[in-house]
Amino acid sequence: MTATKVLISGASVAGPALAYFLRRDGYEVTVVERAPDLRDSGYAVDFRGAAFEVLDEMGILSELREHDTRMSGTLLVDEEGTEIGRLPAEAFAGELEVPKRKLTRILHRVTAGDVTYVFDDSISALTERESGITAEFERGATREFDLVFGADGVHSKVRRLAFGSPPGALRHLGLSGAGFSTVNHLGLRRSGILQHGADRAIFLLSTGDADRLTVSLSFSTASPALDRRPRHEQEQAVRAAFAGRGWEVPRLLEAMSEADDFYFSSTCQVHLDHWSAGRVALVGDAGYCAAPTSGMGTSQALIGARTLARALASAGGDHTTAFAAYEEELRPYVAENQATGRETAVTMFGGGAAPADAHAS
């Protein structure tokens, strides 16, 4: 019997996790990623609740614990840098926190042996037929698959191709910002500093590498449009938002332009009536992003991947039945996480700026 051929777009967290479970169940899996290699952007991710069961089932929990950032907490400061309070490590780090690059590399390593990875390419068109789905690529040859999964993030190309642009699907929570790393001139050791107000925030932290300082500069925005703009325009927006600020701001803005790991993102949620369309289904942020302020993005991606794979196994490969079961089981969990994401953006950061992907959960 010929193995079911599936294509997954996205090689961050949800994509490789889904690839792991589908390959274990006998599927022939290809993962396509538009980046030329595994990404290093996003500095720390954390895990909560049932995500530990997923990591354990994949056999990588013990290894991830070896990379625990072991953060000690975060110092709260005013605009002059004077201490005004402290937050415990759990406020950002969850039950376990690791550098994102460690997680993505481990996920890739445990799947690369029997999953085909295609980097530096992207799906350009999807055409569904009764017996399968044709995928066209920006660079590679057109190929036939039985199922296609979008695990390609909040600005998912697969979602756009299969679902169009449903009104209200992408909901901006009013926050955008830059993340990068620089020299740890503050001498932080497994700790952070947070300065925040109604419309902007600065989050500095040092995790496993004592010589590097992770920087997040966030500010209020009306839309996520800057996410798709060139780096120089994103930097210009950051400089405008923090113009005239004292403390460490001038030095941080200078370091931003020199950083080789600059990253820009907006705090958004994805809301869809359905997470599947025919032979295409979405997993992780592509289908139901809860926003970084939820603290549940990585856990939700892992749990979503396992839930989808289990639904396919239970349905004997009947994708229509499986996709319906997947949504029915996961939607209450996603709704709860999305509510937390919205509430935190308002209560913890005054409706203004939350840390921009410094902890891309």
Side-chain angles (χ1 to χ4, degrees):
M1 181 177 178
T2 303
T4 301
K5 296 181 179 180
V6 303
L7 173 64
I8 300 172
S9 177
S12 180
V13 177
L18 180 60
Y20 174 88
F21 289 111
L22 292 182
R23 186 67 191 92
R24 187 184 66 178
D25 291 341
Y27 289 76
E28 182 179 322
V29 184
T30 298
V31 177
V32 61
E33 166 58 53
R34 66 184 178 89
D37 203 343
L38 294 174
R39 298 173 186 267
D40 278 331
S41 59
Y43 301 103
V45 294
D46 56 76
F47 310 97
R48 304 165 193 256
F52 286 93
E53 299 175 8
V54 182
L55 296 173
D56 191 41
E57 188 173 343
M58 296 178 74
I60 61 175
L61 178 56
S62 296
E63 183 177 359
L64 282 169
R65 289 195 186 280
E66 296 175 4
H67 300 289
D68 189 351
T69 61
R70 301 192 300 278
M71 292 291 286
S72 61
T74 298
L75 181 70
L76 299 176
V77 301
D78 62 17
E79 291 193 4
E80 286 71 44
T82 302
E83 180 180 349
I84 57 175
R86 290 180 178 270
L87 291 173
E90 295 77 14
F92 293 119
E95 299 170 55
L96 171 65
E97 180 186 64
V98 302
K100 188 177 183 182
R101 65 183 180 278
K102 295 294 185 182
L103 173 63
T104 55
R105 274 154 177 71
I106 290 171
L107 289 173
H108 180 261
R109 192 196 73 235
V110 299
T111 54
D114 48 14
V115 169
T116 300
Y117 278 87
V118 179
F119 288 94
D120 199 25
D121 207 349
S122 177
I123 302 171
S124 60
L126 293 171
T127 304
E128 184 166 339
R129 298 168 288 97
E130 183 177 349
S131 59
I133 187 165
T134 302
E136 298 177 43
F137 298 89
E138 297 289 346
R139 293 179 174 81
T142 297
R143 294 178 58 187
E144 302 293 325
F145 296 92
D146 297 292
L147 301 171
V148 173
F149 300 102
D152 45 350
V154 67
H155 298 292
S156 170
K157 180 75 171 292
V158 171
R159 187 179 70 235
R160 192 160 66 250
L161 291 172
F163 294 78
S165 300
L170 188 63
R171 301 184 189 178
H172 183 54
L173 299 190
L175 319 170
S176 300
F180 57 92
S181 65
T182 185
V183 175
N184 186 9
H185 64 280
L186 296 175
L188 297 181
R189 293 293 183 270
R190 299 189 184 277
S191 62
I193 299 177
L194 174 63
Q195 179 196 93
H196 71 90
D199 59 356
R200 60 183 58 83
I202 302 169
F203 190 33
L204 312 175
L205 69 155
S206 173
T207 54
D209 186 348
D211 296 327
R212 304 301 294 172
L213 182 71
T214 295
V215 180
S216 169
L217 302 175
S218 303
F219 56 99
S220 296
T221 51
S223 80
L226 279 167
D227 289 8
R228 295 302 191 184
R229 304 307 302 163
R231 173 171 172 170
H232 75 273
E233 291 187 25
Q234 295 169 342
E235 285 194 33
Q236 184 178 18
V238 175
R239 292 182 185 280
F242 287 89
R245 295 280 166 163
W247 186 48
E248 296 290 333
V249 172
R251 181 167 184 168
L252 295 174
L253 292 177
E254 181 178 350
M256 175 177 67
S257 294
E258 300 171 354
D260 60 7
D261 59 352
F262 176 87
Y263 181 81
F264 193 94
S265 67
S266 294
T267 301
C268 300
Q269 294 186 336
V270 175
H271 293 262
L272 295 169
D273 292 336
H274 301 285
W275 299 339
S276 64
R279 292 177 175 271
V280 179
L282 304 174
V283 62
D285 285 354
Y288 36 82
C289 179
T293 48
S294 72
M296 294 299 297
T298 302
S299 295
Q300 187 168 268
L302 293 168
I303 293 168
R306 185 180 66 170
T307 302
L308 177 53
R310 283 183 170 181
L312 282 164
S314 295
D318 179 347
H319 66 275
T320 301
T321 299
F323 292 168
Y326 160 59
E327 291 193 34
E328 182 179 4
E329 179 176 348
L330 202 63
R331 271 192 181 274
Y333 173 73
V334 168
E336 182 179 341
N337 292 336
Q338 289 183 329
T340 299
R342 292 190 297 272
E343 292 165 4
T344 303
V346 174
T347 59
M348 192 168 186
F349 300 99
D357 205 52
H359 288 71
S361 301

